Amino acid sequence: MGAILLRRLASAVPILAIVSILTFGMIHLIPGDPAAAIAGLSATPEQIANIRRDLGLDQPLMSQLIHWYGNLFQGDLGRSLLLGQPVVEATMQRLPVTVALSAYALVITLVIGLVTGIVAALRQNTWIDQVAMILAMIGISLPNFYLGLLMIILFAVQLRWLPTGGYVAFTDDPLGWLATSTMPAISLALLLAGLLARITRSTMLEVLRQDYIRTARAKGLPSRKVVVKHALANAMIPITTVIGIIVSLLISGSVVTETLFSIPGIGQLLTQAVLNRDYPMVQGGLLITTALLVLVNIAVDVCYALLDPRVRYDGA
Amino acid sequence: MPLLDVQNLTTAFQTQRGEITAVEDISFSLEPGEILGIVGESGSGKSVTALTIMGLLPRPPARIAGGSIRFEGTELTTLSQSRMQGIRGPGIAMVFQEPMTSLNPVFSIGDQLMETIRAHERLPPKALFARAVEMLDRVGIPSASTRMKDYPHQLSGGQRQRVMLAMALVCRPRLLIADEPTTALDVTIQAQILDLILDLRDEFGMAVMIITHNMGVVAETADRVMVMYAGRVVEEAPVTTLFDRPLHPYTRGLLECVPSLTEEMDRLVAIPGTLPEPARRPQGCRFAPRCRYAEPACRAGLPPLESYDPGHSAACIRVPELTRP
Ligand SMILES: Nc1ncnc2c1ncn2[C@@H]1O[C@H](COP(=O)(O)OP(=O)(O)OP(=O)(O)O)[C@@H](O)[C@H]1O
Ligand code: SF4
Ligand SMILES: [Mg+2]
């Protein structure tokens, strides 16, 4: 088990190395003079020169690279041009917001997706199955910003049950957090819940056909135990992979949702950074987000090993 | 009262091309401690018979279209799911043809054994563990107590089939259904597993229904044999009678190509042709297209199962003339 964790952590190193070098190179992919591009059309030559000096763009490439990694290892990703704040600090302020929202959306996705998928599989080809799969299809086909808008119109504008946007930290006011986060979380979750429901259904159907399920029934186990223990434990192995992908999609999906509901998370931060050509912010934000996704993947692999003894033992 | 009494059982499946009957109008019974062999080519309905008795066929598409199954006097065809659960295990247990896939890959064998006991009996954890170890030991798993925490993928095919046997027998069933328990195993292992089943029968006194398409297995294990063809019983007899004086042309064909236990069988080369699919069965005697004694009368109607000697019956209209000395 520990060996697997170590090996996965080690395999993250080359990924992060590649991502960090790509992020570093990003600024040089800007056609023409990056400093001029960052400064914008109305900038004076003086402002452009300032930016070039601040970002070290006047240095030779090699020393820029050494500088970049030197800072990186000290946890310094530069300063946001827009906010004037260190990139790491700005990111770390916003990160909990996105993580909390994603976690909330993940819980909704898991509950709706798994329950719907399992029930549909157990009631295969009945009306329950058909209704569940139609709902899943609707969830998948509705673009989440559209769903978000619909919810804002209905629950915030018409019924006035919930605020149209804004954000209250969970640590400040849990109920306020719930009020501001529920609509964004649902609009993030529904598509993924539909996806998960379909995958759970087909995985469960596949597992329920297996010989060991027949064995479990032949032993006289109650059907609840056959489904909850024998079938689900096996179905969770492929489903875990999907959940890993879902987490990645939730984090990237937050860009649109946070903008729509004016939630001050990473998504909003990066959107503003891109729109304002705040390159250091974009670079740092991407790097940190990628590192987060790599961590998620490692967690998935560890879950995989926990769920599947064949993986666990081959790894040991 | 027989232990198991099956009367006129018919099992049908709903398929895209309409309903087919996989098992049709079969009757047989088993006394306590008796070993019944069921033989027949692939697709003749042996597994469907076993699974129908166990109540393990998914319904739909399966349906018991007629007949009755009585186990110790209890009618199983109409029994509730929960009461059927109580019969599976301590009443009737089953081992399957595929030892490689019949154990759950994500739970240890000890867990799978102990949950079987737990489903039917209340035992303190220590006694539960001891009972499982004892059973593993009994089926020939070396150093059983340390292997309790092994996962199926750490065992060989033969060992997995031993574990399956342990799991089937751990609640001391009165009837064991073994559906081709050795087909997937190496020849030497096959003989070991069969010997083990015979030993356990002697020790526990249970009845055994052993399904196979190998006449050699039947000869070595069974007291009585039932031969199936295309979903129907074509002959039934005590094992020595069947080998000495087979009545049905199909049985004779099977016996002409008896493979020994040690020989990988290319069975039934002696009978040309193949078993008809359920949807494409011929009129009259189903064996007629492959039967060298077939005559027009054979295609007129299904030959009834007639008794010729006590305990010996066959479904062929030409038995009297063909067996005349
Ligand atoms: N789920 C099902 N749906 C439709 N037909 C089925 C189903 N299961 C079995 N059958 C049909 O029932 C017939 C009998 O099958 P069965 O599995 O009992 O044969 P068998 O005698 O056990 O053969 P084998 O030696 O290959 O195990 C076959 O023709 C098969 O096609
Ligand atoms: S009834 Fe006719 S076709 Fe059928 S087995 Fe007997 S002789 Fe052959
Ligand atoms: Mg079979």
Side-chain angles (χ1 to χ4, degrees):
Chain A
M1 202 60 242
I4 290 182
L5 187 62
L6 275 182
R7 218 176 38 199
R8 293 301 293 130
L9 282 173
S11 73
V13 172
I15 300 174
L16 289 176
I18 292 171
V19 174
S20 59
I21 197 104
L22 286 179
T23 346
F24 165 78
M26 215 172 67
I27 205 160
H28 300 281
L29 292 177
I30 303 170
D33 180 1
I38 291 169
L41 285 179
S42 55
T44 61
E46 206 166 289
Q47 285 170 318
I48 296 177
N50 275 342
I51 287 178
R52 186 174 295 130
R53 185 162 22 77
D54 286 349
L55 297 181
L57 291 172
D58 49 354
Q59 306 286 315
L61 200 59
M62 206 52 215
S63 70
Q64 282 185 47
L65 187 68
I66 293 167
H67 193 65
W68 160 258
Y69 274 111
N71 285 343
L72 184 62
F73 282 118
Q74 290 165 36
D76 178 3
L77 289 170
R79 223 165 238 285
S80 161
L81 301 178
L82 190 67
L83 305 169
Q85 203 182 5
V87 164
V88 173
E89 190 186 297
T91 312
M92 286 308 162
Q93 271 171 11
R94 310 294 194 98
L95 199 59
V97 176
T98 301
V99 168
L101 179 62
S102 302
Y104 189 9
L106 181 64
V107 170
I108 298 175
T109 307
L110 291 181
V111 171
I112 298 182
L114 291 176
V115 169
T116 314
I118 292 169
V119 169
L122 293 179
R123 297 274 176 276
Q124 192 196 2
N125 296 335
T126 63
W127 67 269
I128 298 177
D129 180 22
Q130 278 153 8
V131 169
M133 285 308 106
I134 289 170
L135 289 179
M137 206 54 228
I138 294 173
I140 293 174
S141 343
L142 268 186
N144 62 11
F145 65 87
Y146 182 63
L147 182 72
L149 282 176
L150 282 184
M151 282 196 298
I152 291 178
I153 292 171
L154 182 63
F155 295 112
V157 178
Q158 297 285 332
L159 298 170
R160 293 176 182 280
W161 288 353
L162 294 167
T164 53
Y167 186 77
V168 179
F170 184 81
T171 43
D172 292 346
D173 172 9
L175 275 182
W177 175 79
L178 218 56
T180 50
S181 297
T182 298
M183 281 200 296
I186 290 176
S187 81
L188 259 175
L190 230 47
L191 178 151
L192 298 168
L195 198 72
L196 184 62
R198 285 168 62 105
I199 289 167
T200 303
R201 175 183 180 271
S202 61
T203 310
M204 278 299 279
L205 285 177
E206 179 63 32
V207 168
L208 287 170
R209 266 199 299 274
Q210 300 297 311
D211 289 338
Y212 53 77
I213 297 297
R214 190 182 56 188
T215 306
R217 288 194 210 283
K219 298 196 292 192
L221 297 190
S223 17
R224 182 176 23 87
K225 188 133 198 205
V226 173
V227 172
V228 173
K229 181 175 173 185
H230 286 263
L232 208 55
N234 282 278
M236 279 320 284
I237 298 169
I239 290 175
T240 301
T241 313
V242 177
I243 293 177
I245 298 171
I246 284 178
V247 172
S248 312
L249 291 176
L250 277 175
I251 294 174
S252 47
S254 64
V255 173
V256 173
T257 309
E258 285 174 5
T259 309
L260 185 63
F261 288 94
S262 23
I263 290 177
I266 288 280
Q268 201 191 52
L269 183 70
L270 285 184
T271 314
Q272 281 168 2
V274 169
L275 293 178
N276 293 290
R277 298 179 302 273
D278 184 353
Y279 271 87
M281 191 65 240
V282 174
Q283 283 177 307
L286 280 184
L287 194 57
I288 291 173
T289 318
T290 313
L292 192 69
L293 292 180
V294 170
L295 269 181
V296 166
N297 271 306
I298 292 176
V300 167
D301 281 339
V302 170
C303 288
Y304 222 81
L306 284 176
L307 288 168
D308 191 345
R310 288 159 295 189
V311 173
R312 199 152 70 227
Y313 281 73
D314 289 349
Chain B
M1 182 175 69
L3 180 72
L4 178 75
D5 189 24
V6 175
Q7 289 300 326
N8 309 103
L9 182 68
T10 298
T11 304
F13 285 99
Q14 203 64 53
T15 69
Q16 268 137 9
R17 286 177 291 159
E19 197 172 67
I20 58 150
T21 54
V23 161
E24 201 173 286
D25 196 24
I26 66 169
S27 303
F28 63 93
S29 64
L30 253 159
E31 297 299 326
E34 189 183 22
I35 301 191
L36 172 71
I38 300 186
V39 285
E41 277 169 280
S42 190
S44 53
K46 307 180 298 288
S47 296
V48 171
T49 305
L51 294 171
T52 308
I53 294 170
M54 289 294 285
L56 288 178
L57 287 174
R59 303 188 220 180
R63 171 175 86 89
I64 296 181
S68 81
I69 303 167
R70 289 186 160 269
F71 179 72
E72 298 178 325
T74 308
E75 178 60 51
L76 300 188
T77 53
T78 52
L79 205 62
S80 72
Q81 270 301 315
S82 61
R83 292 204 41 211
M84 196 64 216
Q85 277 155 20
I87 288 190
R88 293 182 202 129
I92 314 176
M94 185 162 175
V95 288
F96 300 93
Q97 182 174 349
E98 308 84 6
M100 301 312 278
T101 50
S102 290
L103 289 165
N104 196 323
V106 306
F107 299 112
S108 69
I109 58 172
D111 179 344
Q112 296 185 58
L113 261 168
M114 290 192 293
E115 80 172 345
T116 314
I117 309 172
R118 225 181 290 120
H120 302 286
E121 285 168 57
R122 297 191 67 88
L123 278 181
K126 271 210 176 113
L128 198 66
F129 188 86
R131 172 94 165 269
V133 170
E134 185 195 323
M135 200 63 227
L136 275 186
D137 193 45
R138 182 63 197 83
V139 298
I141 298 284
S143 47
S145 62
T146 53
R147 307 220 64 174
M148 285 280 281
K149 56 181 185 326
D150 278 7
Y151 288 89
H153 74 273
Q154 295 167 297
L155 306 177
S156 69
Q159 283 176 321
R160 288 189 213 188
Q161 198 61 303
R162 285 173 196 272
V163 172
M164 284 297 292
L165 262 174
M167 236 159 63
L169 299 181
V170 76
C171 290
R172 303 287 159 109
R174 270 92 72 197
L175 170 61
L176 171 71
I177 302 180
D179 188 355
E180 312 206 21
T182 59
T183 310
L185 303 174
D186 287 350
V187 178
T188 45
I189 313 286
Q190 286 187 11
Q192 288 173 12
I193 297 282
L194 285 178
D195 284 344
L196 179 61
I197 292 179
L198 289 179
D199 286 352
L200 293 166
R201 193 277 301 252
D202 294 342
E203 189 177 326
F204 297 163
M206 71 214 169
V208 180
M209 204 170 116
I210 186 154
I211 295 176
T212 173
H213 39 225
N214 186 329
M215 276 293 191
V217 170
V218 171
E220 290 189 27
T221 55
D223 302 318
R224 221 146 40 81
V225 194
M226 184 167 99
V227 182
M228 289 185 71
Y229 187 80
R232 297 182 72 94
V233 177
V234 293
E235 184 159 5
E236 191 192 330
V239 71
T240 46
T241 316
L242 190 94
F243 278 84
D244 290 348
R245 211 169 85 85
L247 296 179
H248 197 283
Y250 178 63
T251 314
R252 293 196 203 180
L254 286 180
L255 288 175
E256 275 165 28
C257 51
V258 176
S260 77
L261 251 186
T262 51
E263 176 187 331
E264 192 50 50
M265 48 190 171
D266 196 342
R267 65 210 140 105
L268 308 184
V269 272
I271 309 177
T274 52
L275 187 83
E277 271 177 53
R280 302 217 177 95
R281 285 173 186 155
Q283 284 282 303
C285 175
R286 288 179 181 166
F287 187 55
R290 299 168 70 185
C291 180
R292 64 183 116 140
Y293 308 108
E295 56 177 30
C298 299
R299 301 179 199 266
L302 272 171
L305 194 64
E306 303 262 15
S307 181
Y308 293 92
D309 292 309
H312 191 176
S313 48
C316 167
I317 56 168
R318 299 197 62 192
V319 165
E321 42 177 321
L322 293 177
T323 54
R324 207 174 302 138

